[in-house]
């Protein structure tokens, strides 16, 4: 059974940095595409970044390109999101997601989800 647990969220001032982690308790982490999404109240879940099985391919939303970096450590079953130069509009609940399709940007492409971690950026 796949269980994804995010951590690393919190409150940070604009311009600051945070590093999110997502640990997969399953045994086939390296066989899946991984991604980060975020969601604010009343809005649909928004794609942030995705990384291929072995980390060779990454793709980012335009809104975070150049500021966020997605990576994975398959030996540790862990996905990361390094977030720099944070802006108030980055405030959201961040979710990690796991899917069997190649790199994809739609929430429907991912089968498993974590519970989310809150990121709040103050101005």
């Amino acid at each position: 059974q796949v269980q994804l647990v995010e951590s690393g969220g919190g409150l940070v001032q604009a311009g600051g940095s945070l590093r999110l982690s997502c640990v997969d308790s399953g045994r086939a982490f390296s066989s899946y595409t991984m991604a980060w999404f975020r969601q604010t109240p009343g809005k649909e879940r928004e794609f942030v970044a995705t990384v291929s099985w072995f980390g060779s391919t990454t793709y980012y939303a335009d809104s975070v390109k150049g500021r966020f970096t997605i990576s994975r450590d398959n030996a540790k079953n862990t996905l990361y999101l390094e977030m720099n130069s944070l802006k108030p509009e980055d405030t959201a609940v961040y979710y990690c997601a796991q899917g069997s399709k190649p790199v994809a940007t739609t929430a429907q492409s991912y089968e498993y989800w974590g519970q989310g971690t809150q990121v709040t950026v103050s101005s």
Side-chain angles (χ1 to χ4, degrees):
Q1 182 177 354
V2 174
Q3 183 175 4
L4 303 174
V5 180
E6 303 97 336
S7 62
L11 173 64
V12 63
Q13 288 188 329
S17 299
L18 282 174
R19 188 193 198 199
L20 305 183
S21 299
C22 171
V23 178
D24 174 15
S25 62
R27 296 180 293 175
F29 179 76
S30 62
S31 299
Y32 291 99
T33 298
M34 298 296 297
W36 290 98
F37 285 75
R38 64 187 182 187
Q39 190 170 24
T40 54
K43 293 188 177 181
E44 292 191 356
R45 205 159 286 191
E46 175 192 21
F47 168 76
V48 174
T50 185
V51 60
S52 59
W53 294 359
F54 295 105
S56 58
T57 302
T58 58
Y59 187 75
Y60 297 91
D62 287 343
S63 58
V64 305
K65 200 173 295 182
R67 300 188 297 121
F68 290 12
T69 303
I70 188 171
S71 62
R72 64 191 297 165
D73 185 338
N74 288 344
K76 296 182 178 180
N77 281 15
T78 303
L79 175 72
Y80 302 101
L81 185 68
E82 186 74 37
M83 305 186 294
N84 298 315
S85 302
L86 282 161
K87 304 175 181 180
E89 51 263 43
D90 294 319
T91 295
V93 177
Y94 283 71
Y95 297 89
C96 69
Q98 185 178 83
S100 54
K101 294 183 179 180
V103 168
T105 62
T106 61
Q108 294 83 353
S109 299
Y110 295 88
E111 295 103 69
Y112 301 103
W113 294 83
Q115 293 299 309
T117 185
Q118 176 71 46
V119 171
T120 303
V121 184
S122 63
S123 57

